[in-house]
Amino acid sequence: MNNKMTKIGKRFVGKVAIITASTQGIGFGIALRLGLEGASVVISSRKQNNVDDAVEKLKVQGIDAFGVVCHVSNAQQRKNLIDQTVQKYGKIDVVVSNAAVNPTVDNILDTKESVLDKLWEINVKASILLLKDASPYLTEGSSVVFVSSIAAFGPQASMAMYGVTKTALLGLTKALAVEMAPKTRVNGIAPGFVPTHFADFITNNDTVRKAIEERTVLNRLGSTDDMGAAAAFLASDDAAYITGETLVVAGGMPSRL
């Protein structure tokens, strides 16, 4: 844990937060930050051993962590995630929708229909269905954070359809902010390139990594701490007058005016 992380506040004491795909990478970084700020965090991923390991890592930090196996494309597992959370804590204050896949580097028009379906189902549709299950239990002043991507603003050839699904999350954020107001705020973060297992194929290549770093203003890749801090801000009462927005967290990498 770096020095910045030791100076955080306690904005989530008494709050309950669900973070999907949160046993490693950006999801775990968000869970860690929310937990260090006092939240009871409910983490999930597809494999029980990964869930157990992540829960233990959070508990060692003094965090109240609870883990549930959940493949977000499985309706019963989504419902179980919500049901177990409500059974244990009685409410939900924050939902962070982080689960995503990127199973292809094909051009969009060369991508198999089954792969297109998988991208849409996990990256977009599952976020909607998760909130559908969670919404009856969301508290007044609750918050939703979608994890989009810098790729949403300019999908690149090697990850074009993935980028398009992340573009869809920008629109979903806008639409649900209206639909869920004023009880619940809905925002998103658009991470730049962060060295995680999900991005190994990019960030482990020194040439590609250096090229990405040079595209940022800050001349470095992002960290899971960076993403956790941004998501925590949007989920907190410090962002009480912000909804329908996507915060780009990409070191100044070009996104929009």
Side-chain angles (χ1 to χ4, degrees), residues 6 18 23 26-27 58 64-66 68 70 84 95-96 101 125 135 164 166 169 192 201 215 230-231 243 251 253:
T6 65
I18 293 176
T23 56
I26 290 173
L58 293 171
D64 179 20
F66 179 56
V68 181
C70 179
Q84 288 212 39
V95 176
V96 179
V101 294
K125 181 180 171 185
S135 60
V164 170
K166 293 299 189 174
L169 291 182
F201 72 103
R215 286 176 57 204
T243 195
M253 186 174 283

Side-chain angles (χ1 to χ4, degrees), residues 17-163:
I18 293 176
I19 308 97
T20 62
S22 48
T23 56
Q24 60 183 353
I26 290 173
F28 183 80
I30 294 172
L32 175 62
R33 180 61 184 248
L34 294 177
L36 288 173
E37 291 210 38
S40 297
V41 294
V42 181
I43 62 168
S44 66
S45 73
R46 292 174 296 169
K47 298 179 180 178
Q48 185 71 58
N49 62 320
N50 291 346
V51 171
D52 293 342
D53 288 347
V55 166
E56 190 55 39
K57 287 176 185 174
L58 293 171
K59 284 185 173 180
V60 166
Q61 300 261 21
I63 293 167
D64 179 20
F66 179 56
V68 181
V69 170
C70 179
H71 193 314
V72 294
S73 66
N74 183 307
Q76 187 55 50
Q77 290 187 17
R78 281 194 310 269
K79 185 176 185 301
N80 185 54
L81 173 62
I82 301 303
D83 288 350
Q84 288 212 39
T85 299
V86 173
Q87 187 176 344
K88 184 170 179 65
Y89 296 110
K91 62 170 184 170
I92 303 169
D93 299 291
V94 178
V95 176
V96 179
S97 184
N98 174 61
V101 294
N102 184 24
T104 181
V105 294
D106 291 339
N107 292 332
I108 292 175
L109 297 184
D110 295 328
T111 303
K112 293 178 181 177
E113 184 174 358
S114 60
V115 176
L116 292 173
D117 288 344
K118 183 176 182 179
L119 278 157
W120 170 258
E121 185 165 343
I122 294 176
N123 295 8
V124 183
K125 181 180 171 185
S127 293
I128 299 169
L129 295 176
L130 180 72
L131 284 183
K132 195 171 183 177
D133 288 338
S135 60
Y137 307 103
L138 289 171
T139 58
E140 192 73 34
S142 54
S143 180
V144 172
V145 179
F146 291 116
V147 179
S148 180
S149 169
I150 189 68
F153 297 93
Q156 298 175 13
S158 63
M159 51 197 302
M161 195 60 215
Y162 168 82

